[in-house]
Amino acid sequence: MNSRKVVYLFFTTLLVGSISGTIVGFILEFNVYTEGSFLNMLFGIIWMIGISAAFSLISQMGFFAYLTVHRFGLGLFKSQKLWNYVQLILIAFTVFDLIYFRYVAFAETGETIWGYMVMPLLLLFYGIVIAFIKAKGTNKGAFIPALFFIVVVTTIEWVPALTVNDPKWLWLYFTPLITANTWQLLILHRLNNQSK
């Protein structure tokens, strides 16, 4: 992929993450941004664009880190099949950890684990859908790496918000991450094909 395509990927990912995070942030804090003067709303939107852009930059670092780890994993295990099994185990651990450790850390008296299962299972389901789209656009071998990236790498990038457990920050942080990760994953093979 040439440098022009890399620059395109960088700026489009930044734009996708910034816009999605700004929309969700504006909806979550609608009353705060709409009460008072127009400047209050303008500065609120600028702040949301900035913070969402920062989260999309984290997404881009995670994406390029995963591309490196994926190549390293293929070299280490000498077989894509074995590396895929390792990734599936790591996906299972990640989903379990998202459920169990958040429940242990944040559950209040009388609260059940079921409420802590919703978000991780939705992330897993979303990851399966995106991995299916990626595999359909490239080849069957892309399914597990795509699922791993959406579930595991997004979770790692999401850790700062997960430790706070504030619903507003969970969604504010998650939205630019998941949209930027999805965009990068689904556009990369198209950019590679254009370069060829």
Side-chain angles (χ1 to χ4, degrees):
M1 188 163 51
N2 61 35
S3 58
R4 196 173 61 166
K5 296 282 193 287
V6 172
V7 170
Y8 173 82
L9 180 64
F10 173 80
F11 282 109
T12 55
T13 304
L14 194 65
L15 188 64
V16 166
S18 299
I19 290 171
S20 63
T22 301
I23 291 169
V24 169
F26 189 78
I27 292 168
L28 290 174
E29 294 287 340
F30 183 77
N31 292 336
V32 174
Y33 295 133
T34 54
E35 66 185 26
S37 68
F38 174 75
L39 283 177
N40 178 55
M41 186 171 71
L42 180 65
F43 287 129
I45 290 172
I46 291 169
W47 183 82
M48 289 302 309
I49 290 170
I51 200 157
S52 299
F55 297 149
S56 69
L57 288 174
I58 292 169
S59 163
Q60 292 186 53
M61 288 188 289
F63 184 63
F64 286 105
Y66 174 68
L67 292 177
T68 304
V69 167
H70 182 64
R71 285 286 150 211
F72 179 75
L74 287 171
L76 180 67
F77 292 102
K78 306 288 185 199
S79 156
Q80 183 163 354
K81 192 173 182 180
L82 184 57
W83 173 229
N84 283 344
Y85 285 133
V86 170
Q87 288 181 98
L88 284 172
I89 291 167
L90 292 172
I91 290 166
F93 270 110
T94 301
V95 173
F96 173 79
D97 290 350
L98 265 176
I99 296 168
Y100 181 73
F101 288 122
R102 288 190 67 238
Y103 172 71
V104 168
F106 301 115
E108 296 175 6
T109 308
E111 206 173 6
T112 65
I113 198 167
W114 298 109
Y116 291 88
M117 293 176 74
V118 174
M119 200 177 283
L121 293 179
L122 284 176
L123 177 62
L124 179 63
F125 177 73
Y126 179 80
I128 290 169
V129 170
I130 296 301
F132 177 77
I133 294 168
K134 177 71 173 181
K136 194 174 179 184
T138 55
N139 58 63
K140 291 179 183 178
F143 182 84
I144 292 173
L147 179 61
F148 180 89
F149 176 69
I150 290 293
V151 175
V152 177
V153 177
T154 301
T155 301
I156 292 168
E157 295 164 348
W158 199 20
V159 163
L162 291 170
T163 57
V164 175
N165 200 43
D166 178 354
K168 181 185 86 171
W169 279 101
L170 283 173
W171 286 110
L172 192 61
Y173 209 116
F174 179 72
T175 305
L177 287 177
I178 197 69
T179 54
N181 282 345
T182 302
W183 171 255
Q184 292 174 103
L185 192 64
L186 295 181
I187 198 71
L188 182 66
H189 65 276
R190 293 183 182 138
L191 293 176
N192 281 334
N193 289 341
Q194 287 173 12
S195 296
K196 290 173 186 174

